[in-house]
Amino acid sequence: MEIKFENVSYIYSQGTELQKYGLSDINFKIKSKSFTAVVGHTGSGKSTLIHQINALLKPSKGNIHIGNEFLINQETTGKGLKPLRQKVGMVFQFPENQLFEETVLKDIMFGPLNFGFSKKEAEASAYYWLDQVGLDQSLAEKSPFELSGGQMRRVAIAGVMASHPEVLILDEPTAGLDPVGQKEILSLFKEYQRQGHTVVLVSHDMDIVANYSDEVLVLEEGQLLRQSTPHDLFQEADWLASHSLNQPKVTEFAQRLVAKGIKFDSMPITMAELVKVLAQKFGGKLAKDG
Amino acid sequence: MSENIIEVRNLTYTYSQNNQPTLKNLNLDIIKESWTSILGHNGSGKSTLVRLLTGLKEPDSNSQAQIKINGIAASEEKWFDIRNDLGIVFQNPDNQFVGATVEDDIAFGLENRNIDPDEIEKRIKEVLDFVNMSEFRKMEPSKLSGGQKQRVAIAGILAIRPKVIILDEATSMLDPQGRNQIHQVIQEIKAKYQVTVISVTHDIEEATKADDICVLSDGQLVKQGTPKEVLIDENWLTEMGLMLPFAKQLAVELRQHAIDVPRDILDESELVEYFWKLNSKM
Protein backbone atom coordinates (compact mmCIF):
# COMPACT_ATOMS: atom_id res chain seq x y z
CA MET A 1 0.00 0.00 0.00
CA GLU A 2 1.25 3.43 -0.88
CA ILE A 3 1.61 5.88 1.98
CA LYS A 4 1.30 9.56 1.19
CA PHE A 5 1.79 12.49 3.58
CA GLU A 6 0.43 15.84 2.35
CA ASN A 7 1.40 18.93 4.34
CA VAL A 8 1.25 17.02 7.57
CA SER A 9 1.93 18.87 10.80
CA TYR A 10 1.52 17.56 14.28
CA ILE A 11 1.39 19.92 17.21
CA TYR A 12 1.83 18.66 20.73
CA SER A 13 -0.28 20.33 23.46
CA GLN A 14 -1.93 22.60 20.92
CA GLY A 15 -3.34 25.81 22.33
CA THR A 16 -1.33 25.62 25.56
CA GLU A 17 1.91 27.27 26.56
CA LEU A 18 3.71 24.00 25.97
CA GLN A 19 2.64 23.93 22.32
CA LYS A 20 5.36 22.39 20.22
CA TYR A 21 5.64 21.16 16.66
CA GLY A 22 6.26 17.43 16.55
CA LEU A 23 6.12 17.47 12.77
CA SER A 24 6.01 20.50 10.53
CA ASP A 25 4.62 20.46 7.05
CA ILE A 26 5.80 17.03 5.99
CA ASN A 27 5.35 15.81 2.41
CA PHE A 28 6.45 12.47 1.04
CA LYS A 29 5.31 9.35 -0.71
CA ILE A 30 6.31 5.81 0.19
CA LYS A 31 5.90 3.36 -2.67
CA SER A 32 3.81 0.29 -2.19
CA LYS A 33 5.92 -2.82 -1.39
CA SER A 34 9.02 -0.79 -0.58
CA PHE A 35 11.23 -0.96 2.50
CA THR A 36 11.64 2.54 3.89
CA ALA A 37 13.89 3.50 6.79
CA VAL A 38 13.18 6.53 8.96
CA VAL A 39 16.27 8.00 10.61
CA GLY A 40 16.97 10.94 12.89
CA HIS A 41 18.00 11.72 16.43
CA THR A 42 15.97 11.28 19.58
CA GLY A 43 13.28 13.96 19.41
CA SER A 44 13.48 14.38 15.62
CA GLY A 45 9.89 13.23 15.15
CA LYS A 46 10.44 9.65 13.98
CA SER A 47 8.00 8.09 16.42
CA THR A 48 5.50 10.92 15.97
CA LEU A 49 5.61 10.28 12.24
CA ILE A 50 5.07 6.54 12.33
CA HIS A 51 2.31 6.85 14.91
CA GLN A 52 0.34 8.87 12.36
CA ILE A 53 0.43 6.03 9.86
CA ASN A 54 -2.05 3.96 11.82
CA ALA A 55 -3.74 6.97 13.39
CA LEU A 56 -2.46 6.55 16.93
CA LEU A 57 -1.88 10.26 16.55
CA LYS A 58 -3.94 12.27 14.11
CA PRO A 59 -2.30 15.07 12.14
CA SER A 60 -3.08 18.58 13.38
CA LYS A 61 -2.96 19.71 9.76
CA GLY A 62 -2.77 17.96 6.43
CA ASN A 63 -3.80 14.59 5.04
CA ILE A 64 -2.38 11.09 5.10
CA HIS A 65 -3.43 8.59 2.47
CA ILE A 66 -2.91 4.89 3.03
CA GLY A 67 -3.52 3.16 -0.28
CA ASN A 68 -6.78 4.24 -1.90
CA GLU A 69 -8.77 3.12 1.08
CA PHE A 70 -7.88 5.31 4.01
CA LEU A 71 -7.62 9.00 4.63
CA ILE A 72 -6.36 10.20 8.00
CA ASN A 73 -6.71 13.85 8.99
CA GLN A 74 -7.99 16.10 11.75
CA GLU A 75 -11.55 14.87 11.16
CA THR A 76 -10.69 11.19 11.50
CA THR A 77 -12.62 9.65 14.37
CA GLY A 78 -12.12 6.41 16.25
CA LYS A 79 -14.78 4.79 14.11
CA GLY A 80 -13.47 2.92 11.13
CA LEU A 81 -9.95 2.70 12.49
CA LYS A 82 -10.10 -1.03 13.04
CA PRO A 83 -9.82 -1.92 9.32
CA LEU A 84 -6.95 0.56 9.06
CA ARG A 85 -5.16 -1.02 11.97
CA GLN A 86 -5.60 -4.47 10.52
CA LYS A 87 -3.90 -3.27 7.35
CA VAL A 88 -1.22 -1.30 9.17
CA GLY A 89 0.52 -3.37 11.84
CA MET A 90 2.87 -1.72 14.29
CA VAL A 91 5.71 -3.22 16.31
CA PHE A 92 6.55 -0.75 19.06
CA GLN A 93 9.86 -0.28 20.81
CA PHE A 94 10.36 -3.03 23.37
CA PRO A 95 7.13 -4.76 22.34
CA GLU A 96 7.80 -7.48 24.91
CA ASN A 97 6.48 -5.04 27.50
CA GLN A 98 3.03 -5.48 25.96
CA LEU A 99 2.69 -9.23 26.32
CA PHE A 100 -0.21 -10.00 28.61
CA GLU A 101 -1.83 -13.36 27.87
CA GLU A 102 -1.57 -16.59 29.85
CA THR A 103 0.16 -18.46 27.07
CA VAL A 104 2.37 -17.60 24.13
CA LEU A 105 -0.21 -19.01 21.73
CA LYS A 106 -3.06 -16.93 23.16
CA ASP A 107 -0.90 -13.83 23.03
CA ILE A 108 -0.10 -14.29 19.35
CA MET A 109 -3.75 -15.17 18.54
CA PHE A 110 -5.10 -12.05 20.22
CA GLY A 111 -4.52 -9.77 17.21
CA PRO A 112 -5.96 -12.04 14.53
CA LEU A 113 -9.01 -12.86 16.67
CA ASN A 114 -9.57 -9.19 17.30
CA PHE A 115 -9.51 -8.57 13.54
CA GLY A 116 -12.12 -11.22 12.84
CA PHE A 117 -10.05 -14.33 12.04
CA SER A 118 -11.84 -17.54 13.02
CA LYS A 119 -10.33 -19.40 15.95
CA LYS A 120 -8.94 -22.00 13.58
CA GLU A 121 -7.39 -19.40 11.27
CA ALA A 122 -5.93 -17.46 14.17
CA GLU A 123 -4.36 -20.58 15.63
CA ALA A 124 -2.89 -21.65 12.31
CA SER A 125 -1.49 -18.19 11.78
CA ALA A 126 -0.07 -18.11 15.31
CA TYR A 127 1.73 -21.43 14.86
CA TYR A 128 3.03 -20.33 11.47
CA TRP A 129 4.51 -17.11 12.85
CA LEU A 130 5.83 -18.80 15.97
CA ASP A 131 7.90 -20.92 13.62
CA GLN A 132 8.83 -17.97 11.38
CA VAL A 133 10.24 -15.94 14.27
CA GLY A 134 12.40 -18.92 15.18
CA LEU A 135 10.60 -20.23 18.27
CA ASP A 136 9.90 -23.85 18.99
CA GLN A 137 6.28 -25.01 18.94
CA SER A 138 6.78 -26.42 22.44
CA LEU A 139 6.77 -22.84 23.74
CA ALA A 140 3.17 -22.28 22.62
CA GLU A 141 1.61 -23.33 25.91
CA LYS A 142 4.17 -21.61 28.14
CA SER A 143 3.55 -18.32 29.84
CA PRO A 144 5.26 -15.56 27.85
CA PHE A 145 6.71 -14.30 31.14
CA GLU A 146 8.79 -17.45 31.57
CA LEU A 147 10.71 -16.73 28.38
CA SER A 148 14.01 -14.94 27.96
CA GLY A 149 13.98 -11.32 26.79
CA GLY A 150 14.93 -12.30 23.24
CA GLN A 151 12.18 -14.91 23.06
CA MET A 152 9.60 -12.46 24.42
CA ARG A 153 10.55 -10.00 21.70
CA ARG A 154 9.95 -12.70 19.08
CA VAL A 155 6.54 -13.57 20.54
CA ALA A 156 5.53 -9.91 20.40
CA ILE A 157 6.63 -9.63 16.77
CA ALA A 158 4.78 -12.84 15.87
CA GLY A 159 1.68 -11.31 17.46
CA VAL A 160 1.74 -8.42 14.99
CA MET A 161 2.66 -10.51 11.94
CA ALA A 162 -0.10 -13.03 12.66
CA SER A 163 -2.77 -10.55 11.49
CA HIS A 164 -1.03 -10.30 8.07
CA PRO A 165 -0.78 -6.51 7.92
CA GLU A 166 -0.20 -5.06 4.46
CA VAL A 167 1.92 -2.32 5.92
CA LEU A 168 4.34 -3.18 8.69
CA ILE A 169 5.67 -0.37 10.87
CA LEU A 170 8.68 -1.18 13.03
CA ASP A 171 10.09 1.06 15.74
CA GLU A 172 13.66 -0.09 16.53
CA PRO A 173 12.48 -3.69 16.47
CA THR A 174 15.86 -5.26 17.17
CA ALA A 175 17.29 -2.88 19.80
CA GLY A 176 18.91 -4.95 22.52
CA LEU A 177 18.83 -8.27 20.63
CA ASP A 178 22.10 -10.09 20.08
CA PRO A 179 23.60 -9.58 16.61
CA VAL A 180 22.70 -13.04 15.33
CA GLY A 181 19.11 -12.68 16.52
CA GLN A 182 19.02 -9.19 15.05
CA LYS A 183 19.96 -10.50 11.64
CA GLU A 184 17.36 -13.28 11.78
CA ILE A 185 14.56 -10.88 12.65
CA LEU A 186 15.54 -8.31 10.03
CA SER A 187 15.74 -10.99 7.34
CA LEU A 188 12.23 -12.00 8.31
CA PHE A 189 10.99 -8.44 7.70
CA LYS A 190 12.89 -8.25 4.41
CA GLU A 191 11.29 -11.49 3.29
CA TYR A 192 7.87 -10.13 4.27
CA GLN A 193 8.54 -7.16 1.99
CA ARG A 194 9.55 -9.48 -0.86
CA GLN A 195 6.23 -11.25 -0.48
CA GLY A 196 4.55 -7.98 -1.44
CA HIS A 197 4.15 -5.94 1.74
CA THR A 198 5.22 -2.41 2.59
CA VAL A 199 7.68 -2.02 5.43
CA VAL A 200 8.58 1.15 7.34
CA LEU A 201 11.44 0.85 9.83
CA VAL A 202 12.67 3.36 12.38
CA SER A 203 16.30 2.79 13.20
CA HIS A 204 19.38 4.65 14.30
CA ASP A 205 21.62 1.85 13.10
CA MET A 206 22.93 2.92 9.70
CA ASP A 207 24.21 -0.58 8.95
CA ILE A 208 20.64 -1.81 9.14
CA VAL A 209 19.48 1.09 6.98
CA ALA A 210 22.15 0.37 4.34
CA ASN A 211 21.52 -3.37 4.25
CA TYR A 212 17.75 -3.55 4.29
CA SER A 213 16.09 -0.38 3.04
CA ASP A 214 15.31 0.89 -0.47
CA GLU A 215 14.55 4.43 0.64
CA VAL A 216 15.42 6.61 3.61
CA LEU A 217 13.57 9.51 5.20
CA VAL A 218 15.81 11.78 7.30
CA LEU A 219 14.07 13.78 10.02
CA GLU A 220 15.41 16.59 12.15
CA GLU A 221 13.40 18.65 14.61
CA GLY A 222 10.11 17.64 13.06
CA GLN A 223 11.18 18.47 9.50
CA LEU A 224 11.81 16.08 6.68
CA LEU A 225 15.36 16.94 5.60
CA ARG A 226 15.51 14.55 2.68
CA GLN A 227 14.21 11.42 1.08
CA SER A 228 16.63 9.38 -0.99
CA THR A 229 18.08 5.96 -1.58
CA PRO A 230 20.52 4.80 1.10
CA HIS A 231 23.25 4.72 -1.54
CA ASP A 232 22.86 8.41 -2.39
CA LEU A 233 22.43 9.45 1.23
CA PHE A 234 25.56 7.72 2.47
CA GLN A 235 27.78 9.22 -0.24
CA GLU A 236 27.49 12.55 1.53
CA ALA A 237 29.81 12.26 4.49
CA ASP A 238 29.94 16.01 5.10
CA TRP A 239 26.20 16.52 4.99
CA LEU A 240 25.67 13.60 7.35
CA ALA A 241 28.33 14.85 9.73
CA SER A 242 26.79 18.32 9.75
CA HIS A 243 23.57 16.71 10.97
CA SER A 244 25.45 14.44 13.42
CA LEU A 245 24.41 11.33 11.54
CA ASN A 246 26.66 8.33 10.96
CA GLN A 247 27.58 6.45 7.87
CA PRO A 248 27.39 2.66 7.81
CA LYS A 249 30.45 0.92 9.19
CA VAL A 250 31.46 -0.22 5.72
CA THR A 251 31.36 3.33 4.37
CA GLU A 252 33.34 4.70 7.32
CA PHE A 253 35.93 2.02 6.74
CA ALA A 254 36.12 2.87 3.04
CA GLN A 255 36.63 6.55 3.96
CA ARG A 256 39.67 5.54 5.96
CA LEU A 257 41.02 3.71 2.94
CA VAL A 258 40.37 6.79 0.78
CA ALA A 259 42.43 8.80 3.27
CA LYS A 260 45.28 6.35 2.60
CA GLY A 261 45.10 6.90 -1.13
CA ILE A 262 42.85 4.03 -2.17
CA LYS A 263 40.27 5.23 -4.65
CA PHE A 264 36.59 4.36 -4.90
CA ASP A 265 34.30 5.46 -7.76
CA SER A 266 31.45 5.61 -5.31
CA MET A 267 31.47 4.82 -1.64
CA PRO A 268 30.29 1.31 -0.81
CA ILE A 269 27.49 1.01 1.75
CA THR A 270 27.29 -2.76 2.16
CA MET A 271 29.89 -5.42 2.82
CA ALA A 272 29.25 -7.00 -0.58
CA GLU A 273 29.96 -3.70 -2.37
CA LEU A 274 33.15 -3.10 -0.41
CA VAL A 275 34.40 -6.63 -1.01
CA LYS A 276 33.71 -6.29 -4.72
CA VAL A 277 35.81 -3.14 -5.06
CA LEU A 278 38.69 -4.46 -2.94
CA ALA A 279 38.64 -7.78 -4.80
CA GLN A 280 38.90 -5.97 -8.12
CA LYS A 281 41.79 -3.86 -6.90
CA PHE A 282 43.77 -6.37 -4.88
CA GLY A 283 42.30 -9.80 -5.56
CA GLY A 284 44.35 -12.59 -7.09
CA LYS A 285 41.43 -14.37 -8.64
CA LEU A 286 37.73 -13.76 -8.31
CA ALA A 287 35.56 -16.40 -6.72
CA LYS A 288 33.09 -17.85 -9.17
CA ASP A 289 29.95 -16.22 -7.86
CA GLY A 290 31.96 -13.08 -7.03
CA MET B 1 51.16 -13.42 38.51
CA SER B 2 48.26 -11.10 38.33
CA GLU B 3 45.89 -11.04 41.25
CA ASN B 4 42.20 -11.94 40.84
CA ILE B 5 39.50 -9.59 42.08
CA ILE B 6 36.75 -12.15 41.51
CA GLU B 7 36.96 -15.92 41.86
CA VAL B 8 34.00 -18.12 41.05
CA ARG B 9 34.00 -21.87 41.67
CA ASN B 10 31.39 -24.51 40.79
CA LEU B 11 28.67 -21.99 40.24
CA THR B 12 25.38 -23.69 39.43
CA TYR B 13 22.04 -21.97 39.13
CA THR B 14 18.67 -23.32 38.07
CA TYR B 15 15.61 -21.11 37.50
CA SER B 16 12.61 -22.48 39.36
CA GLN B 17 10.53 -23.04 36.20
CA ASN B 18 13.34 -24.91 34.38
CA ASN B 19 14.64 -28.45 34.72
CA GLN B 20 18.05 -27.66 33.30
CA PRO B 21 20.50 -25.42 35.16
CA THR B 22 21.29 -22.14 33.39
CA LEU B 23 24.80 -22.07 34.88
CA LYS B 24 26.59 -25.40 35.22
CA ASN B 25 29.59 -25.67 37.53
CA LEU B 26 30.98 -22.45 36.18
CA ASN B 27 34.53 -21.50 37.15
CA LEU B 28 35.83 -18.04 36.42
CA ASP B 29 38.60 -15.68 37.52
CA ILE B 30 38.60 -11.99 36.80
CA ILE B 31 41.96 -10.26 36.88
CA LYS B 32 42.23 -7.29 39.21
CA GLU B 33 42.08 -3.89 37.48
CA SER B 34 41.49 -5.43 34.08
CA TRP B 35 38.77 -4.59 31.59
CA THR B 36 37.15 -7.98 31.14
CA SER B 37 34.47 -8.55 28.57
CA ILE B 38 31.99 -11.38 29.04
CA LEU B 39 30.61 -12.58 25.72
CA GLY B 40 27.94 -15.11 24.84
CA HIS B 41 24.81 -15.36 22.73
CA ASN B 42 21.33 -14.78 24.19
CA GLY B 43 20.63 -17.56 26.65
CA SER B 44 24.30 -18.41 27.31
CA GLY B 45 23.95 -17.46 30.97
CA LYS B 46 25.55 -13.99 30.94
CA SER B 47 22.72 -12.14 32.65
CA THR B 48 22.27 -14.91 35.19
CA LEU B 49 25.96 -14.72 36.04
CA VAL B 50 25.64 -10.98 36.68
CA ARG B 51 22.73 -11.58 39.04
CA LEU B 52 24.77 -14.10 40.99
CA LEU B 53 27.88 -11.91 41.05
CA THR B 54 25.85 -9.11 42.57
CA GLY B 55 23.97 -11.27 45.06
CA LEU B 56 20.61 -10.67 43.40
CA LYS B 57 20.25 -14.42 43.11
CA GLU B 58 21.71 -17.26 45.14
CA PRO B 59 23.41 -20.33 43.68
CA ASP B 60 21.53 -23.66 43.89
CA SER B 61 21.54 -24.68 47.54
CA ASN B 62 22.79 -28.20 46.84
CA SER B 63 25.81 -26.96 44.86
CA GLN B 64 29.34 -26.37 46.11
CA ALA B 65 29.34 -22.87 44.70
CA GLN B 66 31.80 -20.27 45.92
CA ILE B 67 32.02 -16.64 44.95
CA LYS B 68 34.85 -14.51 46.25
CA ILE B 69 34.92 -10.81 45.50
CA ASN B 70 37.82 -8.61 46.54
CA GLY B 71 38.93 -11.23 49.05
CA ILE B 72 35.53 -11.64 50.70
CA ALA B 73 33.75 -14.99 50.32
CA ALA B 74 30.11 -14.35 49.51
CA SER B 75 27.56 -15.37 52.12
CA GLU B 76 24.23 -13.94 53.16
CA GLU B 77 25.80 -11.76 55.88
CA LYS B 78 28.64 -10.58 53.65
CA TRP B 79 26.67 -9.37 50.63
CA PHE B 80 26.07 -6.02 52.25
CA ASP B 81 29.82 -5.42 52.47
CA ILE B 82 30.56 -6.87 49.06
CA ARG B 83 28.03 -4.64 47.36
CA ASN B 84 29.87 -1.64 48.73
CA ASP B 85 32.67 -2.55 46.35
CA LEU B 86 30.40 -3.09 43.36
CA GLY B 87 28.68 -0.77 40.93
CA ILE B 88 26.38 -1.83 38.12
CA VAL B 89 25.28 0.02 35.00
CA PHE B 90 22.20 -1.58 33.51
CA GLN B 91 21.12 -2.00 29.92
CA ASN B 92 18.26 0.44 29.80
CA PRO B 93 19.46 3.96 30.57
CA ASP B 94 15.94 4.97 31.56
CA ASN B 95 15.64 2.46 34.37
CA GLN B 96 18.35 3.71 36.68
CA PHE B 97 17.74 7.31 37.63
CA VAL B 98 16.34 8.42 40.96
CA GLY B 99 17.36 12.06 41.08
CA ALA B 100 15.45 14.98 39.53
CA THR B 101 18.69 16.39 38.17
CA VAL B 102 22.01 14.89 37.13
CA GLU B 103 23.75 16.16 40.27
CA ASP B 104 20.97 14.92 42.57
CA ASP B 105 21.24 11.54 41.02
CA ILE B 106 24.94 11.31 41.73
CA ALA B 107 24.49 12.71 45.22
CA PHE B 108 21.94 10.01 46.03
CA GLY B 109 24.48 7.19 46.31
CA LEU B 110 26.84 9.37 48.32
CA GLU B 111 24.21 10.64 50.76
CA ASN B 112 23.15 7.05 51.35
CA ARG B 113 26.67 6.38 52.51
CA ASN B 114 26.65 9.35 54.88
CA ILE B 115 29.44 11.11 53.09
CA ASP B 116 30.26 14.62 54.18
CA PRO B 117 28.52 17.34 52.06
CA ASP B 118 31.79 19.02 51.08
CA GLU B 119 33.18 15.71 49.96
CA ILE B 120 29.94 15.01 48.03
CA GLU B 121 30.31 18.31 46.21
CA LYS B 122 33.91 17.53 45.40
CA ARG B 123 33.13 14.09 44.05
CA ILE B 124 30.17 15.24 41.93
CA LYS B 125 32.39 17.78 40.27
CA GLU B 126 35.19 15.30 39.75
CA VAL B 127 33.12 12.49 38.25
CA LEU B 128 31.05 14.76 36.01
CA ASP B 129 34.24 16.35 34.69
CA PHE B 130 35.62 12.90 34.18
CA VAL B 131 32.74 11.67 32.00
CA ASN B 132 32.56 15.07 30.31
CA MET B 133 29.04 15.85 31.53
CA SER B 134 29.62 18.89 33.76
CA GLU B 135 27.59 21.22 31.58
CA PHE B 136 24.55 18.98 32.11
CA ARG B 137 24.80 19.05 35.88
CA LYS B 138 21.47 20.81 36.47
CA MET B 139 19.59 18.96 33.74
CA GLU B 140 16.83 16.44 34.17
CA PRO B 141 18.26 13.00 33.35
CA SER B 142 15.28 12.24 31.09
CA LYS B 143 16.33 15.07 28.74
CA LEU B 144 19.68 13.44 27.96
CA SER B 145 20.56 11.16 25.05
CA GLY B 146 21.18 7.46 25.70
CA GLY B 147 24.96 7.82 25.68
CA GLN B 148 24.80 10.82 28.02
CA LYS B 149 22.53 8.93 30.41
CA GLN B 150 24.91 6.00 30.57
CA ARG B 151 27.82 8.36 31.22
CA VAL B 152 25.91 9.89 34.12
CA ALA B 153 25.17 6.39 35.41
CA ILE B 154 28.88 5.58 35.27
CA ALA B 155 29.72 8.87 37.01
CA GLY B 156 27.28 8.03 39.80
CA ILE B 157 29.05 4.74 40.32
CA LEU B 158 32.56 6.16 40.17
CA ALA B 159 31.55 8.63 42.86
CA ILE B 160 31.09 5.82 45.37
CA ARG B 161 34.60 4.51 44.62
CA PRO B 162 33.83 0.88 43.86
CA LYS B 163 36.45 -1.80 43.26
CA VAL B 164 34.44 -3.41 40.46
CA ILE B 165 32.11 -1.86 37.91
CA ILE B 166 29.83 -4.19 36.00
CA LEU B 167 28.34 -2.90 32.76
CA ASP B 168 25.43 -5.20 31.98
CA GLU B 169 24.77 -4.72 28.24
CA ALA B 170 25.16 -1.03 29.01
CA THR B 171 25.90 -0.06 25.42
CA SER B 172 23.40 -2.26 23.60
CA MET B 173 20.77 0.45 23.35
CA LEU B 174 23.14 3.20 22.27
CA ASP B 175 23.98 4.47 18.82
CA PRO B 176 27.57 4.05 17.58
CA GLN B 177 28.67 7.45 18.94
CA GLY B 178 27.17 6.70 22.33
CA ARG B 179 28.91 3.35 22.33
CA ASN B 180 32.29 4.83 21.45
CA GLN B 181 31.94 7.43 24.18
CA ILE B 182 31.39 4.69 26.74
CA HIS B 183 34.36 2.67 25.46
CA GLN B 184 36.48 5.80 25.75
CA VAL B 185 35.27 6.36 29.30
CA ILE B 186 36.13 2.77 30.25
CA GLN B 187 39.69 3.21 28.97
CA GLU B 188 40.05 6.41 30.98
CA ILE B 189 38.57 4.84 34.12
CA LYS B 190 41.26 2.23 34.02
CA ALA B 191 43.96 4.86 33.71
CA LYS B 192 42.65 6.99 36.56
CA TYR B 193 40.86 4.78 39.09
CA GLN B 194 42.06 1.47 40.53
CA VAL B 195 39.04 -0.37 39.40
CA THR B 196 38.10 -3.55 37.52
CA VAL B 197 35.60 -3.15 34.71
CA ILE B 198 33.47 -6.11 33.65
CA SER B 199 31.42 -5.50 30.54
CA VAL B 200 28.81 -8.09 29.76
CA THR B 201 28.04 -7.61 26.12
CA HIS B 202 27.14 -9.08 22.80
CA ASP B 203 29.01 -6.34 21.00
CA ILE B 204 32.06 -8.09 19.65
CA GLU B 205 33.72 -4.76 18.73
CA GLU B 206 33.52 -3.75 22.36
CA ALA B 207 35.20 -7.02 23.33
CA THR B 208 38.11 -6.39 20.95
CA LYS B 209 38.98 -3.33 23.07
CA ALA B 210 39.03 -5.23 26.38
CA ASP B 211 42.13 -6.72 28.07
CA ASP B 212 40.56 -10.10 28.68
CA ILE B 213 37.56 -11.90 27.24
CA CYS B 214 35.48 -14.70 28.76
CA VAL B 215 33.14 -16.56 26.43
CA LEU B 216 30.14 -18.29 27.97
CA SER B 217 28.15 -20.94 26.24
CA ASP B 218 25.47 -23.17 27.66
CA GLY B 219 26.14 -22.01 31.20
CA GLN B 220 29.87 -22.66 31.20
CA LEU B 221 33.06 -20.74 30.57
CA VAL B 222 34.36 -22.11 27.28
CA LYS B 223 37.29 -19.80 26.62
CA GLN B 224 39.20 -17.02 28.35
CA GLY B 225 42.13 -14.96 27.11
CA THR B 226 43.18 -11.77 25.36
CA PRO B 227 41.13 -10.62 22.34
CA LYS B 228 43.88 -11.87 20.01
CA GLU B 229 43.72 -15.31 21.62
CA VAL B 230 39.98 -15.65 21.92
CA LEU B 231 38.83 -14.06 18.67
CA ILE B 232 41.28 -15.60 16.22
CA ASP B 233 39.22 -18.57 15.05
CA GLU B 234 36.29 -17.34 13.02
CA ASN B 235 34.66 -20.77 12.66
CA TRP B 236 34.64 -21.23 16.39
CA LEU B 237 33.12 -17.78 16.93
CA THR B 238 30.31 -18.63 14.56
CA GLU B 239 29.76 -21.93 16.37
CA MET B 240 29.42 -19.97 19.60
CA GLY B 241 26.67 -17.88 18.03
CA LEU B 242 28.88 -14.79 18.04
CA MET B 243 29.37 -12.30 15.23
CA LEU B 244 32.82 -11.63 13.87
CA PRO B 245 34.41 -8.24 14.47
CA PHE B 246 34.03 -6.06 11.37
CA ALA B 247 37.70 -6.40 10.36
CA LYS B 248 37.48 -10.18 10.55
CA GLN B 249 34.19 -10.33 8.65
CA LEU B 250 35.80 -8.39 5.87
CA ALA B 251 38.97 -10.49 6.01
CA VAL B 252 36.97 -13.73 5.67
CA GLU B 253 35.22 -12.38 2.57
CA LEU B 254 38.46 -11.11 1.06
CA ARG B 255 40.24 -14.42 1.49
CA GLN B 256 37.66 -15.90 -0.87
CA HIS B 257 39.00 -13.47 -3.43
CA ALA B 258 42.58 -14.54 -2.83
CA ILE B 259 43.47 -11.52 -0.71
CA ASP B 260 45.42 -13.10 2.07
CA VAL B 261 44.61 -10.93 5.07
CA PRO B 262 46.53 -12.12 8.17
CA ARG B 263 44.27 -13.95 10.57
CA ASP B 264 45.36 -12.05 13.65
CA ILE B 265 44.05 -8.74 12.38
CA LEU B 266 41.22 -7.79 14.73
CA ASP B 267 40.72 -4.11 14.40
CA GLU B 268 40.03 -1.78 11.57
CA SER B 269 43.16 0.34 11.96
CA GLU B 270 45.33 -2.72 11.38
CA LEU B 271 43.30 -3.60 8.30
CA VAL B 272 43.59 -0.04 6.96
CA GLU B 273 47.39 -0.30 7.41
CA TYR B 274 47.39 -3.61 5.60
CA PHE B 275 45.63 -2.16 2.55
CA TRP B 276 47.78 0.92 2.61
CA LYS B 277 50.88 -1.27 2.33
CA LEU B 278 49.28 -3.44 -0.31
CA ASN B 279 48.32 -0.36 -2.29
CA SER B 280 51.78 1.20 -2.12
CA LYS B 281 53.33 -1.98 -3.54
CA MET B 282 51.14 -1.80 -6.62
Side-chain angles (χ1 to χ4, degrees), chain A residues 20-31:
Chain A
K20 187 180 167 245
Y21 271 84
L23 294 173
S24 35
D25 200 24
I26 301 266
N27 289 283
F28 66 85
K29 204 166 22 173
I30 289 176
K31 282 194 226 90

Side-chain angles (χ1 to χ4, degrees), chain A residues 41 94 142 146 150 175-180 183 204 244-246 249-250 253 256-257 260-262 271 274-275 278-279 281-287 290, chain B residues 17-18 41-42 91-92 145 172-177 202 205 241-243 246 249-250 253-254 256-259 268-269 271-273 275-276 278-279 282:
Chain A
H41 292 282
F94 303 106
K142 280 208 168 189
E146 285 176 25
L177 287 186
D178 73 21
V180 175
K183 217 170 157 184
H204 60 228
S244 312
L245 294 168
N246 291 91
K249 205 145 195 349
V250 162
F253 182 76
R256 295 177 65 179
L257 294 179
K260 292 281 187 183
I262 296 167
M271 186 63 99
L274 175 62
V275 169
L278 292 176
K281 275 189 201 302
F282 302 111
K285 54 184 189 298
L286 284 175
Chain B
Q17 70 266 23
N18 293 350
H41 58 81
N42 280 0
Q91 178 178 29
N92 190 333
S145 75
S172 74
M173 289 169 60
L174 306 183
D175 59 20
Q177 284 123 324
H202 40 235
E205 304 293 345
L242 300 173
M243 295 289 278
F246 176 82
Q249 260 178 58
L250 185 55
E253 300 272 344
L254 291 171
Q256 296 183 5
H257 296 273
I259 302 176
E268 289 150 48
S269 304
L271 199 53
V272 169
E273 283 306 303
F275 279 111
W276 178 65
L278 210 58
N279 196 41
M282 286 176 80

